[in-house]
Amino acid sequence: MFLINCPFCGEREQSEFKAGGEAHIVRPKQPTELSDDQWAEYLFMRKNIKGIQFERWNHIHGCRKWFNMVRDTSNDEIKAVYKMGEKPPVK
Amino acid sequence: MKNKYSIFSLIKNAFSYHENWEKAWKDPEPKKEYDVVIIGGGGHGLATAYYLAKKHNMKNIAVVEKGWIGGGNTGRNTTIIRSNYLWDASAGLYDHALKIWEGLSQELNYNVMFSQRGVMNLAHNLQDVRDLKRRTHANRLNGIDAVYLNTEEVKKFCPIINTSPDIRYPVLGGTLQKRAGTARHDAVAWGYARGADEMGVDIIQNCEVKGIKRNGDAVEGIETTKGFIKTSKIGVVAAGHSSVIANMAGLRLPLESKPLQALVSEPVKPIIDTVVMSNAVHAYVSQSDKGELVIGAGTDDYVSYSQKGSHDIVEGTLNAILELYPIFSRMRMLRQWGGIVDICPDASPIISKTSIKGLYFNCGWGTGGFKATPGSGDLFAHTIANDEPHKLNAAFNLNRFVSGDLVDEHGAAAVAH
């Protein structure tokens, strides 16, 4: 368990949030042009990093807004929180 | 040849105060080169090495383990063994394992304390009832023992369950697999380690893999904390750290690693002689031979390698346990732990070749790998030795995420993942 600083509501318990997985996976612009391999890459393959990971979270039991987070998955330490659409802070 | 464990060896060693037992496995330094290197010395990895040596006549095998034997997820799970999966491919895979479990203690000459005490899965709503009935039929068509129980039969089989219609999630029925049960988890790792060691497998502990050396499309060896080891075949059985190893070889896997928690209570007299799992409220409980209640909780929904889980997950599970078993209301919990499990999008494992020659992965077991240990090792050994999958693990290839031919056991597998 850890605390998350929601960019809209401030600091809340992690149990109020829902993790949305890896961030910055761009939806294919031309889905009909994609090969099966590219679809598999987009849909299923994940970095699943041990270390600094960029990810999406939703404050599902709060403001219900999505935002991005930079977190060290080896110790759950949160490095930065930023809004959707904003550029990720450089590490 | 190792000395056989028996009542006679027990008596003989009693005279020397049990101080002269032969070491169960050696602790060698790595050789320069092996025919096969298995990365990960958990149950699945050791079983793979064991069957490679036993059934495929390979001699020059190493298992490299970052920590020590029995120190990972093999020694931190709820030890439940069952094969009542919905889909044909899964039924084949898990029942293959269950059949090996039934003779494993004899085969290994090591008591893995396999106990076929039955596993009961509860239904708490109408959809559960339908799903469980459907799964019972599917199991029987696949030759797997399964019966559907109504509420009274559930109560009769496990009298301490609260079957009152007034509880928040009343028990509407359940399924029972009588051949299912539990085993002593670390004994499984130790037994396979001892058996593999006896056939000449080098079990190298405290040896962390730092890199995989490739020559074009083929593997050449691994960089470890104990130096470079040359090999042309690498079997990766690294559970939660599979993606980390894959990354070293420049591969991506469809996995997410998450903490899965379990906890045990203080030891008490025998009170529950079976395993009861409850999908809808996510609570499962059995009792160890030491008398502790062994309670399985769920996974956190975020990726983490921290081996810590969130408190609210444990709280949710214990709420459900107390509702179903009011008799446990004054039990105190002794230990809690989190293991990192690698979860596939379809909640089925990967036992597969990869696009890199000589690199094989056995991963994605998620929350339920322990039950498959012997079968997984057997089939992975077959895959490595023949460079072709066995027919029982053909469906569990990595290519299914490209072809779309998934084995979707999410929800269907009788437990929430």
Side-chain angles (χ1 to χ4, degrees):
Chain A
M1 177 121 67
F2 43 86
L3 295 172
I4 294 175
N5 194 10
C6 170
F8 307 98
C9 310
E11 203 163 69
R12 296 286 195 279
E13 281 183 15
Q14 171 264 319
S15 56
E16 286 189 16
F17 296 81
K18 172 97 184 134
E22 196 177 315
H24 307 300
I25 298 174
V26 182
R27 187 175 168 80
K29 291 223 164 53
Q30 302 254 296
T32 49
E33 307 290 307
L34 250 51
S35 69
D36 289 351
D37 280 316
Q38 286 167 318
W39 269 121
E41 195 65 27
Y42 167 67
L43 284 175
F44 299 125
M45 302 301 165
R46 295 292 176 262
K47 289 180 189 154
N48 196 23
I49 290 168
K50 182 179 188 177
I52 303 293
Q53 166 157 296
F54 295 79
E55 54 194 13
R56 299 176 306 169
W57 284 75
N58 187 345
H59 193 185
I60 198 160
H61 299 299
C63 62
R64 303 187 68 187
K65 284 185 183 139
W66 285 93
F67 59 93
N68 291 314
M69 191 194 284
V70 187
R71 187 171 55 96
D72 188 338
T73 59
S74 63
N75 57 13
D76 293 338
E77 205 172 287
I78 298 170
K79 303 290 183 192
V81 171
Y82 56 102
K83 290 180 183 169
M84 282 286 164
E86 286 178 7
K87 279 228 157 62
V90 189
K91 223 187 359 172
Chain B
M1 231 2 227
K2 287 201 189 324
N3 293 324
K4 206 167 151 47
Y5 289 154
S6 69
I7 182 74
F8 304 109
S9 67
L10 195 63
I11 294 166
K12 187 177 147 222
N13 279 279
F15 287 111
S16 53
Y17 302 98
H18 296 293
E19 284 170 357
N20 294 325
W21 284 100
E22 172 190 30
K23 278 209 166 107
W25 59 86
K26 299 177 287 290
D27 197 14
E29 287 301 305
K31 287 190 268 184
K32 291 247 178 312
E33 183 174 356
Y34 290 96
D35 294 341
V36 185
V37 173
I38 304 297
I39 299 176
H44 290 239
L46 293 163
T48 306
Y50 175 83
Y51 292 113
L52 275 170
K54 188 174 179 190
K55 292 174 82 169
H56 303 283
N57 268 327
M58 301 190 80
K59 292 280 168 271
N60 196 21
I61 305 168
V63 176
V64 294
E65 165 57 43
K66 176 170 67 170
W68 65 96
I69 299 306
N73 287 356
T74 296
R76 38 176 81 215
N77 64 72
T78 51
T79 79
I80 298 167
I81 295 162
R82 61 189 179 88
S83 65
N84 54 355
Y85 279 70
L86 178 68
W87 301 110
D88 295 352
S90 315
L93 177 67
Y94 291 104
D95 210 50
H96 177 61
L98 185 49
K99 283 177 188 141
I100 304 177
W101 277 115
E102 286 172 334
L104 193 61
S105 291
Q106 300 302 324
E107 184 186 335
L108 294 178
N109 178 227
Y110 204 104
N111 189 0
V112 299
M113 296 162 100
F114 179 50
S115 159
Q116 292 177 297
R117 58 184 65 187
V119 169
M120 189 159 67
N121 296 99
L122 301 181
H124 295 281
N125 54 52
L126 196 56
Q127 189 59 46
D128 277 358
V129 171
R130 290 179 185 135
D131 288 346
L132 261 53
K133 282 186 176 167
R134 178 192 180 200
R135 186 167 51 70
T136 306
H137 295 313
N139 288 160
R140 291 165 108 166
L141 286 170
N142 278 317
I144 293 169
D145 66 309
V147 282
Y148 187 81
L149 309 177
N150 63 27
T151 309
E152 290 73 46
E153 289 164 332
V154 166
K155 182 80 178 169
K156 199 171 165 215
F157 190 69
C158 184
I160 60 168
I161 294 182
N162 180 7
T163 52
S164 155
D166 300 331
I167 65 175
R168 186 169 175 194
Y169 298 105
V171 177
L172 301 183
T175 64
L176 176 62
Q177 184 181 19
K178 282 203 168 160
R179 284 163 64 229
T182 59
R184 169 86 195 268
H185 48 13
D186 27 25
V188 177
W190 299 333
Y192 273 121
R194 180 170 176 265
D197 181 86
E198 183 170 8
M199 289 183 289
V201 173
D202 278 357
I203 297 168
I204 303 157
Q205 302 177 82
N206 299 310
C207 179
E208 186 176 351
V209 174
K210 290 289 184 191
I212 290 179
K213 196 172 172 210
R214 279 172 62 175
N215 180 11
D217 276 343
V219 294
E220 273 193 333
I222 55 170
E223 292 289 352
T224 74
T225 47
K226 294 193 175 186
F228 180 73
I229 301 172
K230 194 174 171 213
T231 184
S232 60
K233 284 190 173 190
I234 301 170
V236 185
V237 205
H241 282 71
S242 298
S243 297
V244 176
I245 305 281
N247 193 29
M248 293 173 187
L251 271 186
R252 291 225 289 171
L253 294 173
L255 298 175
E256 286 194 308
S257 296
K258 296 174 177 180
L260 173 67
Q261 293 180 85
L263 53 160
V264 295
S265 72
E266 58 192 338
V268 290
K269 285 184 176 175
I271 181 71
I272 179 165
D273 63 356
T274 185
V275 182
V276 185
M277 308 177 68
S278 195
N279 183 355
V281 295
H282 213 297
Y284 34 110
V285 63
S286 61
Q287 192 171 15
S288 75
D289 292 335
K290 283 185 282 184
E292 305 152 325
L293 296 179
V294 183
I295 294 169
T299 51
D300 283 301
D301 68 344
Y302 52 87
V303 169
S304 178
Y305 290 84
S306 69
Q307 293 196 328
K308 289 179 286 192
S310 300
H311 183 70
D312 56 295
I313 300 280
V314 171
E315 199 177 4
T317 291
L318 289 179
N319 280 342
I321 295 272
L322 290 190
E323 181 97 341
L324 278 173
Y325 313 91
I327 193 174
F328 295 152
S329 66
R330 292 184 192 180
M331 293 284 284
R332 282 168 296 189
M333 292 299 140
L334 202 65
R335 294 181 284 129
Q336 166 274 356
W337 65 93
I340 303 306
V341 298
D342 46 331
I343 301 176
C344 264
D346 60 354
S348 286
I350 296 165
I351 312 173
S352 178
K353 295 162 66 169
T354 64
S355 54
I356 300 164
K357 194 174 168 340
L359 185 64
Y360 306 84
F361 269 87
N362 183 353
C363 59
W365 289 95
T367 59
F370 176 73
K371 66 173 80 70
T373 305
S376 155
D378 183 32
L379 299 172
F380 195 42
H382 181 102
T383 307
I384 294 173
N386 300 303
D387 197 35
E388 276 300 322
H390 187 279
K391 68 176 183 342
L392 285 174
N393 69 306
F396 298 97
N397 61 53
L398 202 45
N399 197 49
R400 73 178 189 267
F401 298 97
V402 177
S403 69
D405 193 9
L406 304 179
V407 188
D408 187 9
E409 288 290 354
H410 258 302
V415 64
H417 291 271

